[in-house]
Amino acid sequence: MGETVELIGILEKKIYKNSDNGFSVFSLKINSKKTVIIQGYLPEIQQGQQVTLKGKWVFHPKFGQQFQTEECSAQLPSNIIGIKKYLSSGLIKGIGPKFAKRLVDKFGEKTLEIIDKNPDNLFSVGGIGPQRVQAIKKAWQDQKEISQVMIFLKSKDVGTSFAVKIYKKYGPNSIDMMQENPYRLVEDVWGIGFKTADQIAIKLGIEKNSIKRIKSGILHCINQSTNEGHLYLQIKKAKETVIKILELEQNNESDGLLKQALNELYHSNKIKLITNNEQHFITLPQFYFSEKGIANKILKLIEKKHPFNFDIEKIYNKIRVSTNNEIVLNEDQQKGIISCLQNKVTIITGGPGTGKTTLLKKLLDILQDYKIKFKLAAPTGKASKRMFEGTGRNAQTLHRLLEFNPSIMGFTKNEQNALDLDFLIVDEASMIDVFLMLSMLKALPQKAHLILLGDVDQLPSVGAGNALNDLINSKKIITVKLTYIFRQAQNSLIIVNAHKVNRGEFPISALQGSKKDFVYLKENEPENIFPILHKIYKYKLAKIGILPSNSIVLTPMNRGIAGVNRINQELQMILNPQSPKLKQIQRFGQIYREGDRIMQIRNNYDKFVFNGDIGTIYKIDEIDQKILISFGEKILEYDFAELDELILSYAISIHKSQGSEFSSVIIPIFMQHFILLQRNLIYTAITRAKKLCILIGQPKAISIGIKNNKNVKRNTFLKEFLTTDLEAR
């Protein structure tokens, strides 16, 4: 290694920057004739700034001699050329190369001083109005504050990529808030994990075995368990996990500290304790009260008699016969309709082609004849749209029906302001988590009937809990399962194979008299998925008239060769390649390009867009540092700092596809997916396809998945709350 030297120069050009960890490569002009390449984990620096660097000269095998930076301090540029480059760099929202030139032409070397101390003077520059001046003022102040947050994070050896989001949350108090309690970052700033917050805490001097740290670790473990669908965590498992993530010694002292931390959390009402079958579980109060609340609401609902005077005998006689060439309802469908009319809560479940939509249409006709007020809803926009297409009646998302209000982070519709309806009919009920289920029940008037439609053989909800299955298993709710596959549906290999998989059988690619809408391609090497996808998207889909925008790849995992991330990179190159006409930016390790299909991966109540919603990048504005995204009929604005809420969605995980349908679905299944392979995963993927399903992969992997019907049991107690007097303490 060479000796440490000091280098002073002007940043000439940004060659590369990783926004996640701050690693950057710049060309540095050290005198009028010499320019060198510098690289390293650098603070937020921009073209045109003068910097003083300390580091060593190194030789890169591909790029030659470079200066490896270990320390960097930057000064604002003082000459006209440097100021122009600095302002053109995109640092300040509202100023691009065009306005940078106008400002420098007007104010010369005093430009930055004017922006900082006398920003109202900007009005004298042609083309700059009140709105832009206000934006420049705010951006200038924000970037100064954000730079301080970056320096703070850097001093704790933490990546600076979340500095903007931290500042957006806490404002000028950002550093004070982090110093007071760094663990609050995990809850307050989406994307920051416990390890990052813990790293800051340790650097701030919090002892590794402090009670404060251990309590934060316990709460983190409970929250993490919800990622696997659990609402409760066994105390034994919690202790083991906390010791592991906090890197504590496994000894009597640690055990004593864990007991003390649990005791303090319990007595401060931060956790609840449940004992069932001599097993002890802990949870957060909101998780417990959500399940307990659902149980109480359901039990009260089914106790009440309905006020509607249905002539059941007349209705039954009418639905047993076909009129006007309608499809004849089978016995299960007839039973389902009568159950919906006679019982306050009914669950109708069944796979594709079993007639759930036909049953629903007939039920709605009856309700209309009796002048009954009803509303249709579903957990997602796509599911509600499908409900509308199937019935011809208006359907809403549950969030819209319940009137979510971002200012209160809750629903306007509740016990005091109930929904105005007699029947609430909700499709894709298997997707509803316990928090949304409770909100829906709170808004339901006592007189009303609730009908839940869903397919219990699909994957459970992405959110925590297992509400629909728990309601069915409690046997407190009348449940009608439709199993007969109608003749029209038997013509589709998609539907035939969905049911074969559900019975534990390997799918077939041909059946006499059936449409050729299902294809199985045997492939043992995951790497070969890419040329296959190229042929499908470039040739096969076009031949059968399916647009690439109506096709999707559904895969079990995010990582790996045949995972979401790698396939998205490939499909982006195939379907939306780089072009001079298309603007693009790189954030959080991902290239975002105009025209890209993306997916929202968290609920954003301010924008009223939700986890799983798919949209298209409409426009990238580098000057104002925002992206416009089209989600169907609405166009939403995203700040560059919010892009970690988005992923490419040419391929998505099977879990994320719940509630959606696509004209064409391509499903790669390989042994690298082994840990996640199970029957309901493959079944869910197949049932997302409307016109064409292409299954690609190893026969062994597919067979293992189909045979594995042992779904991971989620730690929930809704069934027990409905059937016993179990309570937390």
Side-chain angles (χ1 to χ4, degrees):
M1 291 289 290
E3 62 177 284
T4 300
V5 296
E6 186 175 89
L7 209 59
I8 299 173
I10 303 292
L11 293 169
E12 184 79 2
K13 182 182 178 184
K14 179 172 68 178
I15 298 170
Y16 171 80
K17 180 170 182 181
N18 184 324
S19 299
D20 293 355
N21 59 20
F23 182 80
S24 307
V25 181
F26 277 88
S27 61
L28 181 77
K29 196 167 187 177
I30 55 177
N31 58 47
S32 60
K33 295 181 179 178
K34 189 170 183 182
T35 300
V36 298
I37 301 298
I38 65 163
Q39 51 103 328
Y41 295 91
L42 303 171
E44 190 69 10
I45 53 176
Q46 305 294 330
Q47 293 168 201
Q49 281 187 278
Q50 180 174 307
V51 292
T52 301
L53 309 172
K54 287 185 180 179
K56 298 181 175 75
W57 290 104
V58 295
F59 187 84
H60 192 284
K62 185 175 180 181
F63 301 111
Q65 191 181 50
Q66 298 182 344
F67 188 80
Q68 184 172 293
T69 307
E70 295 168 358
E71 292 181 28
C72 171
S73 60
Q75 297 79 44
L76 290 176
S78 57
N79 61 53
I80 288 175
I81 294 173
I83 292 170
K84 193 182 293 185
K85 282 189 176 183
Y86 181 73
L87 292 176
S88 299
S89 66
L91 171 71
I92 303 172
K93 290 182 185 179
I95 300 181
K98 183 173 74 173
F99 280 110
K101 183 178 185 305
R102 287 187 190 175
L103 289 168
V104 173
D105 287 349
K106 176 75 176 177
F107 301 116
E109 293 180 355
K110 291 189 174 181
T111 301
L112 297 182
E113 184 183 338
I114 294 290
I115 294 173
D116 187 34
K117 295 178 180 176
N118 303 104
D120 288 343
N121 289 357
L122 299 178
F123 285 117
S124 63
V125 179
I128 296 186
Q131 195 172 349
R132 189 173 293 275
V133 168
Q134 191 57 39
I136 292 170
K137 277 183 185 179
K138 186 176 185 308
W140 179 262
Q141 187 59 38
D142 284 353
Q143 65 88 18
K144 287 202 294 185
E145 299 278 359
I146 290 164
S147 293
Q148 293 302 311
V149 176
M150 287 180 168
I151 291 168
F152 175 82
L153 293 175
K154 191 75 177 171
S155 71
K156 310 304 173 196
D157 296 327
V158 172
T160 59
S161 59
F162 287 104
V164 175
K165 295 189 91 170
I166 292 170
Y167 178 73
K168 195 172 181 180
K169 177 67 182 176
Y170 301 134
N173 299 320
S174 295
I175 294 174
D176 290 341
M177 300 292 265
M178 285 189 283
Q179 287 176 326
E180 179 192 333
N181 181 11
Y183 293 108
R184 67 186 301 161
L185 289 168
V186 181
E187 296 300 314
D188 291 349
V189 184
W190 190 82
I192 292 186
F194 179 82
K195 284 187 176 179
T196 299
D198 192 45
Q199 188 175 341
I200 295 172
I202 295 294
K203 288 281 185 178
L204 286 170
I206 293 178
E207 297 291 334
K208 284 191 73 173
N209 60 352
S210 76
I211 290 296
K212 183 178 181 179
R213 182 171 184 252
I214 294 170
K215 286 197 293 187
S216 296
I218 292 169
L219 295 176
H220 168 68
C221 288
I222 297 172
N223 275 307
Q224 279 295 101
S225 68
T226 64
N227 293 338
E228 298 169 18
H230 303 303
L231 287 167
Y232 305 84
L233 185 61
Q234 274 188 296
I235 286 184
K236 183 182 177 183
K237 176 75 179 293
K239 287 179 177 179
E240 290 171 353
T241 309
V242 170
I243 285 174
K244 184 178 178 182
I245 66 166
L246 297 185
E247 298 177 349
L248 301 174
E249 297 290 332
Q250 285 190 309
N251 54 31
N252 291 336
E253 182 187 356
S254 294
D255 192 49
L257 290 169
L258 281 164
K259 286 179 181 176
Q260 181 185 341
L262 285 165
N263 192 49
E264 288 185 15
L265 287 169
Y266 175 75
H267 285 290
S268 60
N269 205 28
K270 294 290 179 65
I271 61 172
K272 289 286 185 182
L273 174 66
I274 280 197
T275 301
N276 187 53
N277 295 329
E278 298 184 355
Q279 287 188 310
H280 304 292
F281 296 83
I282 53 174
T283 187
L284 302 182
Q286 62 263 37
F287 297 170
Y288 166 70
F289 287 119
S290 292
E291 277 204 321
K292 194 69 174 173
I294 291 170
N296 292 340
K297 291 287 181 186
I298 289 287
L299 292 173
K300 283 182 182 177
L301 201 59
I302 61 180
E303 283 173 3
K304 296 271 185 182
K305 290 187 177 180
H306 69 76
F308 312 116
N309 296 314
F310 296 116
D311 189 334
I312 297 299
E313 186 175 349
K314 182 180 177 182
I315 292 169
Y316 180 57
N317 289 331
K318 187 177 180 181
I319 62 176
R320 290 173 63 192
V321 297
S322 173
T323 56
N324 300 325
N325 297 318
E326 290 178 345
I327 297 172
V328 179
L329 299 182
N330 63 27
E331 287 187 15
D332 285 337
Q333 288 174 307
Q334 295 167 27
K335 179 183 174 184
I337 287 175
I338 300 302
S339 295
C340 292
L341 299 175
Q342 288 185 319
N343 298 285
K344 294 294 294 299
V345 185
T346 306
I347 295 172
I348 308 290
T349 182
T354 56
K356 291 196 298 293
T357 302
T358 303
L359 180 159
L360 178 57
K361 287 169 72 176
K362 180 64 76 173
L363 173 64
L364 296 180
D365 289 341
I366 294 167
L367 295 180
Q368 189 162 310
D369 289 343
Y370 276 83
K371 295 182 170 52
I372 298 292
K373 286 184 186 176
F374 61 82
K375 288 191 184 293
L376 308 181
T380 67
K382 285 207 169 185
S384 62
K385 184 180 178 184
R386 230 177 36 250
M387 209 176 184
F388 165 73
E389 291 168 349
T391 64
R393 319 267 185 158
N394 183 48
Q396 300 171 271
T397 63
L398 282 169
H399 280 82
R400 196 166 293 282
L401 176 73
L402 300 176
E403 297 178 8
F404 185 84
N405 184 346
S407 65
I408 61 171
M409 286 305 288
F411 295 100
T412 303
K413 294 296 181 183
N414 51 38
E415 292 102 330
Q416 288 74 42
N417 182 28
L419 293 163
D420 181 21
L421 51 76
D422 301 317
F423 271 63
L424 176 58
I425 302 160
V426 183
D427 199 9
E428 294 286 1
S430 62
M431 294 182 64
I432 305 175
D433 63 30
V434 293
F435 312 111
L436 187 55
M437 182 72 79
L438 178 60
S439 296
M440 179 182 74
L441 290 169
K442 281 181 177 179
L444 200 66
Q446 284 292 303
K447 65 172 183 175
H449 285 220
L450 175 64
I451 299 164
L452 300 174
L453 300 163
D455 186 348
V456 290
D457 294 318
Q458 288 185 27
L459 291 166
S461 61
V462 174
N466 205 1
L468 185 66
N469 273 280
D470 288 344
L471 290 173
I472 293 170
N473 293 334
S474 74
K475 302 194 186 313
K476 288 283 185 179
I477 311 298
I478 299 297
T479 301
V480 178
K481 184 162 187 177
L482 307 178
T483 55
Y484 176 77
I485 309 173
F486 284 86
R487 187 163 49 188
Q488 299 94 319
Q490 290 175 8
N491 292 332
S492 167
L493 274 177
I494 292 172
I495 292 176
V496 168
N497 281 323
H499 287 277
K500 284 180 77 68
V501 166
N502 211 20
R503 294 192 299 268
E505 302 170 17
F506 202 94
I508 56 176
S509 285
L511 184 67
Q512 189 172 0
S514 290
K515 293 183 288 186
K516 294 180 180 179
D517 58 359
F518 185 97
V519 178
Y520 169 52
L521 302 176
K522 180 181 175 182
E523 179 53 61
N524 285 313
E525 300 301 327
E527 295 86 351
N528 291 340
I529 186 76
F530 302 115
I532 293 172
L533 288 174
H534 194 276
K535 288 178 183 176
I536 290 171
Y537 276 93
K538 286 295 184 183
Y539 306 110
K540 185 169 182 63
L541 294 182
K543 277 185 181 179
I544 56 179
I546 295 177
L547 295 172
S549 58
N550 292 327
S551 179
I552 201 160
V553 177
L554 302 181
T555 181
M557 298 176 73
N558 289 321
R559 297 178 181 177
I561 295 171
V564 170
N565 301 334
R566 180 67 185 87
I567 292 174
N568 265 323
Q569 289 176 354
E570 192 73 21
L571 290 180
Q572 186 186 44
M573 287 190 287
I574 295 172
L575 300 175
N576 194 33
Q578 188 172 357
S579 160
K581 295 180 180 179
L582 299 175
K583 290 181 182 176
Q584 68 175 46
I585 61 163
Q586 183 170 353
R587 286 294 187 279
F588 301 100
Q590 174 65 61
I591 292 172
Y592 298 90
R593 188 174 294 141
E594 289 176 342
D596 273 337
R597 188 166 74 193
I598 54 83
M599 173 182 275
Q600 177 80 17
I601 57 171
R602 69 171 290 229
N603 290 340
N604 188 320
Y605 296 107
D606 293 326
K607 299 184 192 299
F608 212 77
V609 61
F610 301 100
N611 188 356
D613 285 355
I614 291 177
T616 304
I617 295 178
Y618 174 70
K619 183 181 179 183
I620 295 176
D621 186 336
E622 293 174 291
I623 294 175
D624 289 331
Q625 298 179 21
K626 63 186 180 183
I627 287 187
L628 300 181
I629 297 176
S630 170
F631 288 96
E633 296 174 357
K634 60 184 178 183
I635 294 179
L636 300 179
E637 184 179 297
Y638 283 74
D639 190 90
F640 282 2
E642 297 176 303
L643 295 184
D644 60 329
E645 297 183 15
L646 304 172
I647 58 170
L648 294 179
S649 65
Y650 301 107
I652 62 175
S653 70
I654 296 170
H655 283 83
K656 291 282 188 187
S657 73
Q658 289 173 259
S660 298
E661 275 189 343
F662 306 90
S663 294
S664 165
V665 166
I666 302 152
I667 311 165
I669 302 288
F670 293 94
M671 286 304 292
Q672 66 175 228
H673 303 135
F674 177 79
I675 194 170
L676 291 177
L677 294 180
Q678 55 191 50
R679 184 181 300 174
N680 61 0
L681 186 89
I682 298 174
Y683 172 77
T684 299
I686 292 172
T687 56
R688 301 306 91 200
K690 288 193 290 186
K691 295 181 179 178
L692 176 66
C693 180
I694 303 175
L695 180 64
I696 308 169
Q698 296 162 300
K700 180 181 178 182
I702 296 167
S703 295
I704 286 172
I706 291 170
K707 297 296 181 189
N708 179 16
N709 200 29
K710 295 178 182 177
N711 301 327
V712 177
K713 186 182 183 305
R714 295 183 166 190
N715 293 335
T716 66
F717 287 111
L718 178 55
K719 175 188 169 185
E720 286 76 10
F721 294 152
L722 285 162
T723 56
T724 72
D725 59 358
L726 179 67
E727 288 191 0
R729 55 186 176 88

